């Protein structure tokens, strides 16, 4: 349970490093268990872990690079971070292409971390390489019959209201009439009520009406006669994002037009993606809004691609906010492990055992990177440790060549914020479990004889 919690927090805070944080916390607990078996008190272990975590964080701070003053170098850093993030995902084959899409989308946000402005639209067909970035907002709906296919300088009313009042909506209600003429009167009254509602909506001075719920035939006909583009049944996430990017509010009553904030955009038009027709809103009020259209062979491929791209977007938006960058490929863990090892040698008493254990736990990350790539981890880690005893080493694991490589030349980078969050979250989670005094195990449930 705790593992899923820290992983979720890491995902919410930074967007990447969810596996690393669980692995590091697990390794810290494994090392702590050995120390507890050596009769070292958990509070002593926690004190040692805290000293080691602070030392490791300081080591990261000293070695972090910041290129925010040089826009070309900073963009290169963002590209490297995006490619590193995508390397372990389904998009790894085309990581350079998708890294470019993600960087362009995030740089449009101009420092904001609000990813609501970036819409990811999935459309089956074509290959992943056919995906593209589009300025503005795309709504996965068709324009109705007899309605304008293109509108310039659009005034948009986004609503969540019932447009089907051609039936009595009182559960269990019965209407008794003594002739068919009375039924016709009731229907005429309902139609008149709907006409009045449509007139109120038209009275807002709009030329586009987007509704969360269905728009039935009569109101659709009335909107078409008034030259208003009416879009029905837009999904709730779609209208929330549309209201955000066009600068409007979602309305449900229409008696006071002056209190309703309308959305604006320069052009609304119908576009084709593959064989599907969609509605494109360009020149929206929130200028940084954009849509990444993902193409792929199946829904499963698109779902996985969306998750991969979301991780990259999250990390990049956080890096634009906190521009410090580190090398990847196990380099930060080896830098931290070296400093923590040095602290262990200077610290007297039992705490030094805990600090040393923390250093071993940090080295588990590059070990696992090597194992996952099918390499000899014992040999690589010993080479890496020797390299890091040289001053200002940039050595890390190069899984492509299967040896130790220069992370600076290979362009493997990670976000400082993500790595710091992994370190602090894993340490706090391990501390929390070390503070548990006793574990009560339930007796195993007796299996019933089913024969």
């Amino acid at each position: 349970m705790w593992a899923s919690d820290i992983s979720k927090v890491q995902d919410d805070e930074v967007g990447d490093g969810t596996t690393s944080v669980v692995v590091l916390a697990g390794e810290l607990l494994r090392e702590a268990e050995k120390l507890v078996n050596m009769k070292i008190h958990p509070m002593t272990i926690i004190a040692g872990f805290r000293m080691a975590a602070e030392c490791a964080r300081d080591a990261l701070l000293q070695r972090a690079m910041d290129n925010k003053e040089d826009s070309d170098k900073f963009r290169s850093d963002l590209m490297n971070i995006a490619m590193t993030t995508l390397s372990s995902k389904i998009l790894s084959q085309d990581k350079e292409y998708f890294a470019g899409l993600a960087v362009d989308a995030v740089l449009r946000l101009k420092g904001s971390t609000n990813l609501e402005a970036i819409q990811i639209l999935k459309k089956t067909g074509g290959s992943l390489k056919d995906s593209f970035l589009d300025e503005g907002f795309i709504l996965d709906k068709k324009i109705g019959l007899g309605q304008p296919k293109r509108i310039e300088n659009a005034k948009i009313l986004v609503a969540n209201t019932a447009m089907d009042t051609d039936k009595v909506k009182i559960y269990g209600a019965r209407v008794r009439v003594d002739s068919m003429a009375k039924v016709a009167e009731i229907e005429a009254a309902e139609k008149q009520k709907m006409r009045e509602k449509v007139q109120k909506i038209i009275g807002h001075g709009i030329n586009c009406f987007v509704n969360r719920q269905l728009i039935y035939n009569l109101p659709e006909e009335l909107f078409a006669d008034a030259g208003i583009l009416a879009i029905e049944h837009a999904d709730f996430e779609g209208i929330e994002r549309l209201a955000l990017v066009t600068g409007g509010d979602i309305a449900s009553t229409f008696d006071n037009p002056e209190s309703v904030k309308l959305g604006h955009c320069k052009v609304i038009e119908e576009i084709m993606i593959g064989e599907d027709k969609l509605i494109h809103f360009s020149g929206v009020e929130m200028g940084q809004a954009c849509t990444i259209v993902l193409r792929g062979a199946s829904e499963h491929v698109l779902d996985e691609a969306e998750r991969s791209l979301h991780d990259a977007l999250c990390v990049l938006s956080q890096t634009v906010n906190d521009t410090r960058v580190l090398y990847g490929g196990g380099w930060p863990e080896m830098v931290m492990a070296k400093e923590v090892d040095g602290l262990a040698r200077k610290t007297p008493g039992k705490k030094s055992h805990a600090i040393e254990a923390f250093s071993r736990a940090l080295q588990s990350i590059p070990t696992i990177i090597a194992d996952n790539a099918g390499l000899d981890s014992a040999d690589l880690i010993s080479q890496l440790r020797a390299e890091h005893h040289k001053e200002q080493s940039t050595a890390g694991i190069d899984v492509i060549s299967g040896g130790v490589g220069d992370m600076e030349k290979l362009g493997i980078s990670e976000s400082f914020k993500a790595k710091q969050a992994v370190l602090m979250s894993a340490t706090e989670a391990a501390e929390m479990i070390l503070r548990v005094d006793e574990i009560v195990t339930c007796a195993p449930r007796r299996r019933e004889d089913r024969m």
Side-chain angles (χ1 to χ4, degrees):
M1 186 65 193
W2 61 271
S4 64
D5 284 348
I6 58 171
S7 185
K8 190 174 185 311
V9 167
Q10 180 74 13
D11 194 40
D12 293 343
E13 282 292 308
V14 191
D16 195 30
T18 48
T19 311
S20 304
V21 73
V22 175
V23 167
L24 184 55
E27 287 297 326
L28 286 171
L29 288 172
R30 192 204 301 263
E31 293 294 337
E33 187 183 17
K34 293 176 192 170
L35 297 174
V36 169
N37 292 337
M38 287 165 59
K39 300 288 185 283
I40 297 175
H41 195 275
M43 293 312 291
T44 308
I45 299 170
I46 287 170
F49 276 7
R50 281 191 174 172
M51 287 171 68
E54 204 52 48
C55 172
R57 188 170 169 275
D58 290 343
L60 283 186
L61 281 166
Q62 285 167 19
R63 300 295 294 275
M65 298 156 290
D66 194 343
N67 290 320
K68 68 177 174 187
E69 302 304 327
D70 186 333
S71 58
D72 291 340
K73 276 189 179 175
F74 183 54
R75 186 185 166 83
S76 174
D77 284 345
L78 291 178
M79 282 292 289
N80 289 338
I81 288 169
M83 285 194 282
T84 304
T85 303
L86 295 172
S87 290
S88 58
K89 315 260 188 327
I90 194 172
L91 301 176
S92 59
Q93 298 301 315
D94 302 311
K95 62 183 178 183
E96 200 166 326
Y97 179 71
F98 282 98
L101 290 186
V103 170
D104 288 341
V106 166
L107 288 176
R108 284 180 69 92
L109 297 180
K110 297 181 175 68
S112 165
T113 54
N114 180 15
L115 294 179
E116 285 290 310
I118 301 173
Q119 180 196 17
I120 298 178
L121 186 70
K122 298 176 288 184
K123 278 285 162 197
T124 49
S127 68
L128 283 169
K129 242 331 190 16
D130 294 331
S131 305
F132 61 92
L133 177 74
D134 196 295
E135 171 270 319
F137 181 84
I138 297 174
L139 192 64
D140 195 357
K141 287 286 156 193
K142 291 178 186 172
I143 292 176
L145 293 170
Q147 295 184 356
K149 301 288 182 190
R150 179 185 169 90
I151 291 176
E152 294 184 6
N153 298 321
K155 292 177 185 170
I156 306 158
L157 177 59
V158 184
N160 185 9
T161 186
M163 298 298 288
D164 58 341
T165 36
D166 51 356
K167 52 180 87 71
V168 177
K169 286 194 171 180
I170 303 169
Y171 185 69
R174 287 184 183 180
V175 180
R176 291 181 184 273
V177 291
D178 50 18
S179 69
M180 286 304 290
K182 287 281 197 297
V183 175
E185 280 178 33
I186 292 169
E187 285 183 354
E190 285 179 341
K191 282 185 177 177
Q192 184 55 35
K193 193 177 169 189
M194 178 49 72
R195 279 195 180 93
E196 287 168 11
K197 187 172 185 178
V198 170
Q199 286 308 317
K200 282 181 186 175
I201 293 169
I202 294 170
H204 287 69
I206 59 168
N207 50 15
C208 177
F209 177 65
V210 183
N211 194 24
R212 164 75 184 86
Q213 300 177 41
L214 287 168
I215 300 174
Y216 277 56
N217 293 350
L218 176 66
E220 190 173 38
E221 189 183 313
L222 295 171
F223 283 127
D225 290 344
I228 291 172
L229 169 59
I231 303 163
E232 65 172 2
H233 219 244
D235 63 283
F236 193 70
E237 190 187 325
I239 67 160
E240 278 210 321
R241 190 176 266 127
L242 179 62
L244 172 78
V245 300
T246 58
D249 290 334
I250 299 173
S252 52
T253 56
F254 311 101
D255 294 323
N256 303 306
E258 65 282 351
S259 64
V260 176
K261 191 179 176 189
L262 299 178
H264 296 86
C265 80
K266 286 179 183 170
V267 178
I268 302 175
E269 59 189 342
E270 196 170 60
I271 60 167
M272 291 276 289
I273 296 177
E275 294 179 0
D276 298 331
K277 289 180 179 175
L278 300 98
I279 303 169
H280 184 235
F281 297 77
S282 56
V284 290
E285 195 154 289
M286 185 189 255
Q288 59 263 46
C290 59
T291 301
I292 296 174
V293 179
L294 288 178
R295 308 298 311 281
S298 70
E299 291 288 346
H300 297 297
V301 169
L302 290 175
D303 289 343
E304 195 56 43
E306 182 188 22
R307 279 192 288 274
S308 307
L309 201 58
H310 178 261
D311 281 2
L313 291 170
C314 287
V315 176
L316 290 174
S317 67
Q318 294 295 337
T319 309
V320 169
N321 225 10
D322 181 346
T323 53
R324 288 170 292 181
V325 173
L326 299 163
Y327 295 122
W331 177 86
E333 286 78 17
M334 294 309 291
V335 166
M336 290 189 282
K338 181 187 170 187
E339 292 298 322
V340 171
D341 231 8
L343 176 68
R345 292 198 181 99
K346 296 177 210 163
T347 307
K350 289 182 177 179
K351 280 183 194 173
S352 64
H353 292 293
I355 296 169
E356 208 173 323
F358 197 97
S359 171
R360 285 196 298 274
L362 284 169
Q363 287 180 33
S364 67
I365 300 276
T367 304
I368 289 165
I369 291 173
D371 286 339
N372 286 352
L375 305 173
D376 183 351
S377 57
D379 180 41
L380 275 177
I381 298 307
S382 60
Q383 285 183 45
L384 207 50
R385 202 183 296 119
E387 283 290 328
H388 275 267
H389 273 284
K390 297 172 186 171
E391 281 301 311
Q392 300 295 314
S393 171
T394 56
I397 294 173
D398 179 4
V399 294
I400 307 298
S401 69
V404 172
D406 186 337
M407 298 294 104
E408 188 177 6
K409 286 179 185 169
L410 292 169
I412 298 171
S413 300
E414 291 187 66
S415 163
F416 169 82
K417 193 170 183 181
K419 197 53 76 178
Q420 179 180 253
V422 165
L423 176 70
M424 303 320 283
S425 297
T427 309
E428 284 169 15
E431 271 184 36
M432 179 190 74
I433 290 173
L434 276 171
R435 286 179 187 278
V436 175
D437 297 325
E438 212 169 319
I439 297 170
V440 179
T441 312
C442 295
R445 191 172 60 182
R446 193 176 293 170
R447 298 181 81 178
E448 293 175 13
D449 190 6
R450 299 188 180 188
M451 295 299 286

